[in-house]
């Protein structure tokens, strides 16, 4: 399987906690130029791909028409996801959404107080519930927002379950250097490990599978595209700051919009990072990514198929003395997902 | 060789940046030699560190031939850590130029060194430099010098070292006022070693002033302090480089090489004489260089221990004041307990180890030496707080004191007195050099100086005070021991001796700083700090309940991997103690604990 990621680095406004690269209030000409450059890049793409993921930023910040142009040539995929913000819902033409099989909505919270802290719009719950009938819907939720109580977090989870969405991602808020949140809340230290365990309980009792550290899905609704990342398979990426992976090669496009545009319009490609990884490095990335899949872990069969039997033995050897890893006949998994880092260190 | 009557041996006494090097340049030019910067580059190649820090610790003496005269210009070290060498250098001279910047006036180092020169009964020629500057205050500077020398009728030579003004007159004054060396060639050899360094081929090069007798290659010489004997392989003087000569005679300044392989066999301050025809007396004033500040150095990875030993040995070749012995700490593993002349010396050693030998090091908080008399009459010299005897057994503790000279604008007197009193200082003397400038003399515990005294002095006087000190021996001290327990077990590397007056506050600060630098662990970490055996501070680091990179999508892979790599690297740099990972910063945080 091969994935295709398209990055739309535009947002209507910048959220104070976000450290992704995106531009707000970009002029029309820039959005046009970006759409043209990207559709040109995609038109020259030879490979067929199995999954499509349009992310951002806020993809719809540049409008449905421009997005149509960009992805016009991408067809025949098994799964096509687009990221949406609450304010997109009800505005975006449904026939545009028909291009996709999966909608990922950045809800973050249902609580008006918390949304105010985050400077985000509330989502129309009724509408979300309706969308689940036609699409696979994911919603993103944040835990550990400054001022957010445990009760509020659990309440958010309950409401998400009640909406009947097939997929839920829950992230502890990270406070990143350089964001407005950092200036305000850098001392904020959210250590509610017990609460994260209760979140897990609630979601698994409601029939969701905790399949990746931050991701829960009803059986059969795991995100194929994101799985490619965690399985360390190949994926192609377009857009400033987007990263791709092909065999031993990893690249990350430049963050600089103008440089990116020039290269997309036919100039030399400009990368912030372009590495041909050694086998050892590849293996290290492979291991730490696969460990994120909590139920599968590093799977013996896949390792043997991809790297050979000796490699499997070497991984087992590395894992042996780490109490945060559980080694079995068929896999190596993290013992406690809350200590994923400690588990992963064995492969660094 | 020149007749003794035409030789003048002298030093330039000056505060930092008052223009010593620039004046020396003028002398070099007059003697037809190249500029000093080239000389420095040739002779002091290995010492870039000192030059980078803007302090030339010391350069070798230069022999200058100007007209019929031979001037031996003897440098004095520019930093108080090396003040013993200043005294030895001055002992090699008959005169000194007291060089004062006309825009700055007399400063602490000028005062301290001038007193030393008077002690050695040198002829002192006051020189006022930088008279070309519009802000030059010749009158005020003259008054300051007069006050300092205790005479109302000084006539300083006015020079601009930069523009060469007044240098001719200065030379006349030197030849007229500084006496030629006395001493007799037909007496037994008496040579004062006032500097030394190591040469790969010739062994130790002893820089000497010959007071009596002569010395030439082939002579058997003897070092007074150790009695060890060597055969001289070369004698000579310093011009641009070492210039071998047939013989050094009474009155000369030069060097003796005798293929000595250990610099401590030829200590600075010692007297060299002939083995077959020894002098009856040594030159007075010798005292072996004693380390005054102690700290332990550990490699961050145990495997570097041997490399560290080799590196220390190499530095010691050129640095007789550096001492070290192996020790082992529970927390850091094997390392060395080292002794230094002062904090600057310690810093230089550390930096050279890291730079020139590419070592990654942990340095513990420096401390002074304590003299302890126990109740059962045992006398101990304690250089490592962890080895301090139980306080119940202690009768008397003594700690080293210095006499500090502070020169400052009078408006800051109040705040400086406050600072010194807060550091357990006792005022010895206060004097106005001019209406605006004063000299304060304080006796202070050396332990107070090796922390942040100087930084504080600078900040309360906005950088306008200057400071110099000399060691004056040991005095009784009222101190306590501070110990740190991590989950109930004493961590030896965190043991300190501090004055009782602020022991409790210091202890609380230590606990607080440790809490903030020890990362959360799988178990709860309890930090307890004891003063004199009683727990006075307690902090806990709550256990770690999660350690997980939550968000990880495509683009993040390399970035997240780097985060994990950093985590792993950080873990490697931590020391395990009692199942607790302690990072280096925790140890460094103690340095910042200030309880005053
Ligand atoms: N205007 C003026 N500047 C001078 C004169 N003499 C020296 N300087 C300047 O004063 C500064 C310090 O001079 P140095 O000769 O390096 O002083 P130093 O005493 O050797 O300094 P250290 O090696 O740090 O002890 C330099 O920038 C010189 O150029 C002078 O006569 N007039
Ligand atoms: S959180 Fe989403 S919408 Fe907000 S700034 Fe970041 S990318 Fe844009």
């Amino acid at each position: 399987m091969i994935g295709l990621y398209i990055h739309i680095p535009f947002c209507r406004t910048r959220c104070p906690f976000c450290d992704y690269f995106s531009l707000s209030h970009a002029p029309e000409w820039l959005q046009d130029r970006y759409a043209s450059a990207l559709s040109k890049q995609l038109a020259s793409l030879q490979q067929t791909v199995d999954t499509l993921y349009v992310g951002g930023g806020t993809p719809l910040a540049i409008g449905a028409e421009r997005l149509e142009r960009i992805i016009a040539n991408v067809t025949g995929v098994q799964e096509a996801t687009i990221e949406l913000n609450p304010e997109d819902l009800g505005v975006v033409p449904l026939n545009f959404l028909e291009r996709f099989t999966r909608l990922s909505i950045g809800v973050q919270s249902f609580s008006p107080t918390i949304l105010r802290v985050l400077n985000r719009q509330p989502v129309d719950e009724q509408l979300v519930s309706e969308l689940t009938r036609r699409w696979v819907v994911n919603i993103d939720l944040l835990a550990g927002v400054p001022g957010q109580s445990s009760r509020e977090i659990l309440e958010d989870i309950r409401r998400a379950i009640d909406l009947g969405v097939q997929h839920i991602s829950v992230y502890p808020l990270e406070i990143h250097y350089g964001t407005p949140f950092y200036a305000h809340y850098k001392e904020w230290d959210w250590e509610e490990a017990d609460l994260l365990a209760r979140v897990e309980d609630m979601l698994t009792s409601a029939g969701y599978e905790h399949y990746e550290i931050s991701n829960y899905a009803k059986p059969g609704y795991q995100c194929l595209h994101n799985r490619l990342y965690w399985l360390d398979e190949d994926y192609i990426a377009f857009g400033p700051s987007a990263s791709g992976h092909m065999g031993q090669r990893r690249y990350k496009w430049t963050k600089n919009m103008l440089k990116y545009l020039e290269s997309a319009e036919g100039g030399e490609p400009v990368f912030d990072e372009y590495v041909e990884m050694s086998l050892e490095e590849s293996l290290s990335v492979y291991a730490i990514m696969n460990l994120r899949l909590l139920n599968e872990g590093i799977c013996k069969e896949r390792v043997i198929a991809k790297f050979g039997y000796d490699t499997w033995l070497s991984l087992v050897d590395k894992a042996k003395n780490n109490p945060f890893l559980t080694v079995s006949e068929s896999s190596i998994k993290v013992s406690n997902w809350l200590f994923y880092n400690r588990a992963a260190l064995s492969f660094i | 060789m020149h007749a003794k009557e035409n030789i003048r041996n002298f030093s330039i006494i000056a505060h930092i940046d008052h223009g010593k090097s620039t004046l020396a340049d003028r002398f070099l030019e007059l003697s037809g030699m190249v500029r000093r910067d080239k000389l420095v580059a040739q002779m002091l190649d290995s010492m870039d560190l000192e030059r980078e820090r803007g302090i030339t610790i010391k350069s070798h003496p230069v022999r200058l031939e100007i007209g019929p005269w031979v001037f031996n210009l003897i440098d004095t070290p520019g930093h108080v850590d090396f003040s013993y060498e200043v005294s030895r250098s001055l002992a090699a001279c008959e005169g000194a130029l007291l060089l004062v910047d006309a825009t700055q006036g007399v400063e602490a180092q000028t005062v301290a060194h001038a007193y030393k020169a008077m002690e050695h009964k040198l002829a002192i020629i006051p020189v006022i430099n930088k008279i070309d500057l519009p802000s030059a205050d010749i009158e005020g500077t003259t008054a300051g010098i007069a006050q300092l020398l205790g005479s109302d009728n000084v006539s300083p030579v006015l020079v601009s070292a930069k523009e060469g003004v007044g240098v001719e007159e200065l030379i006349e004054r030197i030849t007229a006022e500084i006496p030629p060396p006395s001493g007799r060639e037909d007496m037994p050899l008496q040579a004062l070693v006032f500097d030394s360094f190591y040469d790969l081929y010739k062994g130790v090069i002893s820089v000497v002033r010959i007071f009596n007798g002569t010395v030439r290659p082939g002579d058997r010489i003897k070092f007074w302090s150790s009695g060890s004997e060597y055969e001289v392989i070369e004698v000579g003087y310093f011009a641009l480089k070492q210039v071998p000569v047939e013989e050094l005679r009474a009155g000369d300044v030069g060097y003796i090489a005798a293929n000595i392989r250990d610099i401590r066999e030829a200590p600075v301050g010692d007297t060299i004489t002939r083995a077959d025809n020894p002098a009856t007396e040594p030159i007075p004033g010798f005292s072996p260089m004693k380390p005054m500040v102690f700290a332990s150095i550990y490699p961050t990875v145990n495997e570097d221990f041997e490399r560290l030993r080799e590196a220390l040995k190499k530095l010691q070749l050129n640095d007789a004041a550096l001492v070290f012995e192996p020790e082992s700490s529970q927390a850091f593993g094997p390392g060395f307990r080292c002794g230094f002349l002062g904090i600057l010396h310690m810093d230089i050693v550390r930096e050279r180890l890291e730079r020139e030998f590419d070592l990654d090091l942990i340095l513990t908080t420096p401390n002074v030496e304590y003299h302890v008399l126990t109740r059962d009459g045992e006398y101990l010299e304690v250089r490592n707080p962890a080895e301090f005897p139980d306080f119940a057994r202690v009768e008397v503790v003594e700690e080293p004191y210095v006499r500090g000279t502070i020169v400052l604008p009078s408006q800051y007197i109040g705040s400086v007195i406050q600072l010194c009193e807060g550091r357990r200082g006792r005022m010895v003397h206060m004097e106005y050099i001019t209406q605006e400038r004063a000299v304060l003399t304080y006796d202070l515990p050396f332990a107070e100086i090796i922390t942040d005294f100087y930084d504080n002095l600078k900040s309360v006087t906005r950088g306008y005070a200057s400071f110099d000190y000399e060691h004056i021996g040991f005095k009784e001290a009222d101190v306590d021991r501070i110990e740190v327990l991590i989950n109930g077990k004493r961590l030896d590397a965190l043991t300190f001796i501090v004055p009782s007056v602020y022991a409790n506050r210091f202890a609380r600060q230590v606990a607080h700083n440790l809490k903030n630098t020890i990362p959360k662990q799988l178990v709860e970490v309890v930090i307890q700090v004891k003063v004199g055996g009683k727990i006075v501070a307690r902090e806990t680091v709550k256990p770690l309940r999660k350690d997980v990179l939550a968000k990880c999508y495509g683009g993040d892979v390399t970035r997240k991997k780097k985060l994990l790599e950093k985590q792993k690297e950080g873990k490697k740099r931590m020391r395990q103690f009692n199942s607790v990972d302690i990072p280096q910063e925790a140890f460094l945080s103690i340095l910042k604990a200030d309880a005053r």
Side-chain angles (χ1 to χ4, degrees):
Chain A
M1 290 240 290
I2 291 188
L4 171 63
Y5 176 71
I6 299 174
H7 190 59
I8 310 295
F10 298 96
C11 291
R12 296 192 186 88
T13 54
R14 292 282 301 157
C15 304
F17 56 90
C18 176
D19 78 326
Y20 285 153
F21 167 69
S22 76
L23 304 169
S24 57
H25 309 292
E28 295 289 326
W29 66 262
L30 185 62
Q31 300 183 24
D32 281 335
R33 192 172 156 196
Y34 188 68
S36 310
L38 236 67
S39 49
K40 185 168 170 197
Q41 241 179 343
L42 281 161
S44 66
L45 182 67
Q46 306 291 328
Q47 253 137 334
T48 56
V49 294
D50 304 289
T51 64
L52 167 69
Y53 196 106
V54 182
T58 311
L60 278 166
I62 64 168
E65 296 76 24
R66 290 194 184 95
L67 286 176
E68 289 272 21
R69 259 165 65 205
I70 293 173
I71 59 171
N73 290 320
V74 186
T75 49
V77 295
Q78 277 184 51
E79 180 194 88
T81 307
I82 183 165
E83 286 181 349
L84 302 170
N85 260 0
E87 65 273 19
D88 295 328
L89 299 184
V91 179
V92 56
L94 286 184
N95 64 336
F96 167 73
L97 291 185
E98 294 294 337
R99 296 276 282 119
F100 299 90
T101 61
R102 209 173 162 271
L103 311 178
S104 177
I105 309 170
V107 173
Q108 316 309 359
S109 174
F110 296 105
S111 146
T113 3
I114 298 307
L115 287 173
R116 221 168 297 132
V117 175
L118 297 172
N119 194 25
R120 306 259 312 175
Q121 300 298 315
V123 77
D124 179 341
E125 292 172 58
Q126 178 67 35
L127 191 51
V128 173
S129 183
E130 277 162 27
L131 290 171
T132 60
R133 285 188 220 124
R134 168 68 188 77
W135 284 275
V136 176
V137 175
N138 165 62
I139 64 179
D140 285 347
L141 292 174
L142 277 174
V145 178
Q148 191 181 28
S149 68
S150 316
R151 207 183 38 72
E152 280 173 310
I153 292 169
L154 296 174
E155 171 68 13
D156 278 348
I157 302 291
R158 195 192 52 75
R159 278 162 89 163
I161 294 171
D162 288 351
L163 290 179
V165 294
Q166 298 89 335
H167 195 285
I168 299 175
S169 307
V170 186
Y171 308 108
L173 176 76
E174 289 169 8
I175 305 221
H176 292 282
Y177 179 75
T179 61
F181 258 39
Y182 185 83
H184 278 86
Y185 305 116
K186 60 170 166 284
E187 304 292 332
W188 177 249
D189 180 19
W190 192 76
E191 265 295 348
E192 298 290 328
D194 297 340
L195 187 63
L196 289 176
R198 279 181 69 191
V199 166
E200 182 186 37
D201 271 355
M202 259 176 93
L203 285 166
T204 48
S205 323
Y208 292 86
E209 191 189 356
H210 189 187
Y211 76 104
E212 195 267 349
I213 288 174
S214 307
N215 288 278
Y216 297 82
K218 291 263 179 75
Y221 291 103
Q222 293 188 13
C223 175
L224 293 181
H225 181 85
N226 285 339
R227 277 181 61 86
L228 293 179
Y229 297 142
W230 300 319
L231 290 167
D232 201 35
E233 303 259 340
D234 290 346
Y235 43 91
I236 301 162
F238 290 110
S241 82
S243 309
H245 175 209
M246 275 291 156
Q248 305 277 92
R249 195 170 304 151
R250 282 185 187 278
Y251 57 85
K252 180 175 180 145
W253 289 99
T254 173
K255 279 206 289 278
N256 184 310
M257 176 56 101
L258 290 177
K259 281 195 191 143
Y260 185 84
L261 284 172
E262 278 162 23
S263 69
E265 285 158 357
E268 281 291 301
V270 186
F271 296 105
D272 271 355
E273 204 176 278
Y274 192 94
V275 282
E276 198 77 46
M277 284 195 302
S278 66
L279 185 63
E280 198 187 343
E281 286 170 312
S282 300
L283 196 60
S284 164
V285 172
Y286 179 87
I288 63 178
M289 292 309 286
N290 275 267
L291 277 179
R292 299 191 68 91
L293 291 166
L294 301 177
N295 298 328
E296 296 161 76
I298 304 171
C299 164
K300 179 178 175 184
E301 244 172 68
R302 289 193 201 125
V303 171
I304 294 173
K306 192 162 175 165
F307 299 99
Y309 188 69
D310 287 349
T311 302
W312 169 250
L313 290 183
S314 77
L315 290 174
V316 168
D317 200 51
K318 285 187 176 143
K320 227 168 30 197
N321 292 319
N322 189 338
F324 296 100
L325 285 167
T326 305
V327 182
S328 73
E329 246 326 292
S330 56
S331 67
I332 302 168
K333 295 192 233 173
V334 297
S335 314
N336 176 346
W337 66 276
L338 289 169
F339 288 96
Y340 161 81
N341 288 13
R342 297 292 170 112
L345 290 184
S346 286
F347 303 105
I348 292 292
Chain B
M1 277 257 153
H2 285 69
K4 223 165 48 204
E5 289 64 42
N6 285 359
I7 298 177
R8 296 294 181 275
N9 298 322
F10 62 93
S11 289
I12 305 176
I13 294 173
H15 196 75
I16 297 160
D17 280 346
H18 281 203
K20 191 162 77 171
S21 315
T22 312
L23 181 60
D25 279 350
R26 297 291 90 78
F27 287 143
L28 280 168
E29 279 169 10
L30 283 173
S31 76
M33 283 201 259
V34 290
R35 282 184 51 87
R36 183 187 164 95
D37 43 2
K38 285 200 195 134
L39 186 72
V40 169
Q42 281 182 20
M43 292 176 72
L44 289 172
D45 254 355
S46 61
M47 287 306 203
D48 356 334
L49 195 68
E50 292 168 20
R51 263 181 296 151
E52 247 170 62
R53 287 167 167 244
I55 32 152
T56 323
I57 286 180
K58 195 162 179 195
S59 52
H60 303 309
V62 200
R63 179 186 157 105
L64 304 161
E65 296 187 12
I66 300 178
W69 307 101
V70 171
F71 287 173
N72 288 309
L73 176 53
I74 294 168
D75 199 7
T76 49
H79 191 275
V80 55
D81 279 7
F82 305 90
S83 61
Y84 173 67
E85 294 178 46
V86 175
S87 160
R88 294 297 81 202
S89 295
L90 292 177
C93 301
E94 277 79 33
L97 311 186
L98 182 67
L99 183 72
V100 183
D101 184 330
T103 66
Q104 305 294 316
V106 168
E107 296 281 5
Q109 221 172 54
T110 331
V111 177
H113 289 190
Y115 284 144
K116 282 214 180 87
M118 290 186 234
E119 211 177 294
H120 286 285
K121 303 202 165 56
L122 301 191
I124 296 175
I125 302 176
V127 183
I128 295 183
N129 189 28
K130 306 198 189 177
I131 56 163
D132 57 295
L133 291 176
S135 53
D137 172 13
I138 294 169
E139 213 173 302
T141 307
T142 308
I145 294 174
Q147 178 74 23
L148 173 64
L149 298 180
S151 123
D152 352 304
N153 129 48
V154 290
S155 51
V157 189
L158 305 182
V159 304
S160 163
K162 194 167 155 196
E163 290 171 3
V165 175
V167 179
E168 302 281 342
E169 186 199 335
L170 178 56
I171 286 173
E172 271 167 36
R173 293 274 298 269
I174 292 170
T175 56
E177 292 175 30
I178 296 177
S182 55
R184 289 172 48 183
E185 272 125 59
D186 55 0
M187 299 251 293
L189 175 67
Q190 260 184 324
L192 168 70
V193 180
F194 63 89
D195 191 11
S196 68
F197 58 96
Y198 191 80
D199 178 290
L200 218 49
Y201 304 104
K202 302 175 199 167
V204 176
I205 308 278
S206 298
V207 184
V208 295
R209 158 72 197 272
I210 313 286
F211 279 90
N212 282 306
T214 60
V215 61
R216 41 170 65 224
D219 287 353
R220 271 200 87 69
I221 52 166
K222 184 170 92 172
F223 283 82
W224 205 282
S225 65
S226 63
S228 13
E229 294 183 13
Y230 298 93
E231 186 181 314
V232 175
I233 56 166
E234 185 178 306
V235 301
Y237 60 80
F238 299 93
L240 291 183
K241 48 185 192 306
Q242 295 164 24
V243 181
V245 294
E246 265 171 43
E247 184 180 69
L248 290 178
R249 282 184 271 170
D252 280 339
V253 170
Y255 67 88
I256 299 176
N259 203 14
I260 303 168
R261 290 292 148 183
D262 184 346
I263 201 160
R264 270 147 304 161
E265 288 286 302
V268 168
D270 204 355
T271 302
I272 296 177
T273 186
R274 287 277 291 260
D276 47 3
N277 177 19
T280 52
E281 298 264 291
I283 297 147
F286 173 68
S287 63
M289 244 192 268
K290 277 188 70 174
M292 300 304 296
V293 172
F294 303 86
S296 300
I297 298 181
Y298 303 95
T300 42
V301 287
N302 290 348
E303 296 81 70
D304 276 346
F305 176 74
E306 279 307 322
R307 282 215 305 132
L308 175 58
R309 185 204 297 276
E310 286 311 307
L312 282 165
K313 271 193 189 157
K314 282 220 179 88
L315 290 189
Q316 209 179 34
L317 276 181
N318 239 326
D319 186 348
L322 170 67
V323 299
F324 61 90
E325 54 188 45
E327 70 163 8
S328 187
S329 141
Q330 298 159 310
F332 298 126
F336 295 92
R337 188 76 189 160
C338 303
F340 310 95
L341 292 173
I343 292 297
L344 177 78
H345 185 212
M346 178 177 91
D347 263 7
I348 288 175
V349 169
R350 195 211 63 223
E351 224 168 301
R352 291 188 66 182
L353 287 171
E354 289 188 337
R355 273 205 218 177
E356 293 168 30
F357 299 91
D358 194 27
L359 287 157
D360 234 337
L361 303 172
I362 298 173
L363 196 78
T364 60
T365 317
N367 61 270
V368 301
E369 172 175 306
Y370 294 92
H371 291 172
V372 180
L373 187 66
T374 65
R375 297 206 172 192
D376 29 1
E378 201 186 348
Y379 170 75
L380 304 163
E381 291 181 355
V382 181
R383 296 170 165 194
N384 186 344
E387 287 160 11
F388 215 92
D390 190 349
F391 269 79
R393 278 184 59 213
V394 170
E395 181 80 44
V396 187
V397 182
E398 286 185 337
E399 64 179 322
Y401 268 69
V402 295
R403 177 152 298 173
T405 307
I406 304 162
V407 173
L408 71 166
S410 4
Q411 82 240 46
Y412 299 118
I413 285 182
S415 14
V416 172
I417 287 180
Q418 203 183 349
L419 171 70
C420 292
E421 303 283 330
R423 303 296 167 117
R424 300 182 290 142
R426 203 182 56 78
M427 192 194 283
V428 180
H429 193 63
M430 179 164 93
E431 184 181 343
Y432 283 82
I433 311 177
T434 62
Q435 252 172 20
E436 297 84 36
R437 288 172 86 68
V439 188
L440 280 176
T441 313
Y442 257 96
D443 285 352
L444 290 148
F446 187 46
E448 301 283 345
I449 305 298
I450 67 174
T451 54
D452 52 359
F453 178 80
Y454 193 55
D455 287 340
N456 277 291
L457 178 67
K458 276 195 296 200
S459 81
V460 302
T461 61
R462 297 164 193 246
Y464 283 116
S466 55
F467 178 62
D468 200 283
Y469 64 78
E470 63 176 331
H471 289 277
I472 53 170
F474 283 73
K475 291 189 185 183
E476 197 170 329
D478 185 10
V479 291
D480 264 317
R481 175 168 43 197
I482 292 201
E483 293 162 293
V484 173
L485 287 80
I486 301 290
N487 284 352
K489 202 163 153 200
R490 189 180 90 148
L491 178 48
D492 57 0
L494 289 182
T495 304
F496 314 94
I497 301 297
V498 296
S500 307
V501 275
Y502 31 73
N504 284 358
R505 253 177 301 155
F506 187 80
R508 283 195 293 274
Q509 187 87 50
V510 165
H512 178 80
N513 291 4
L514 285 175
K515 178 200 162 89
N516 288 337
T517 43
I518 296 178
K520 286 187 180 159
Q521 324 252 325
L522 298 173
V523 294
E524 182 179 58
V525 181
V526 178
I527 301 157
Q528 289 164 301
V529 185
K530 278 186 178 176
V531 172
K534 266 206 342 254
I535 292 171
V536 302
R538 182 182 196 275
E539 298 275 0
T540 55
V541 180
K542 285 205 224 113
L544 184 71
R545 302 295 313 283
K546 68 176 172 60
D547 183 8
V548 56
L549 288 171
K551 223 170 185 169
C552 188
Y553 290 112
D556 288 348
V557 179
T558 13
R559 201 166 106 194
K560 298 283 162 164
K561 181 161 180 256
K562 278 191 191 126
L563 284 175
L564 288 169
E565 275 164 5
K566 233 170 105 186
Q567 186 172 354
K568 180 142 185 169
E569 194 51 41
K571 218 167 147 52
K572 255 203 323 220
R573 287 180 68 110
M574 287 199 247
R575 292 291 168 150
Q576 269 252 331
F577 174 75
N578 202 9
S579 313
V580 174
D581 287 328
I582 304 182
Q584 257 192 83
E585 299 84 70
F587 295 94
L588 298 177
S589 79
I590 306 299
L591 288 166
K592 300 197 187 89
D594 184 3
R596 294 173 193 96

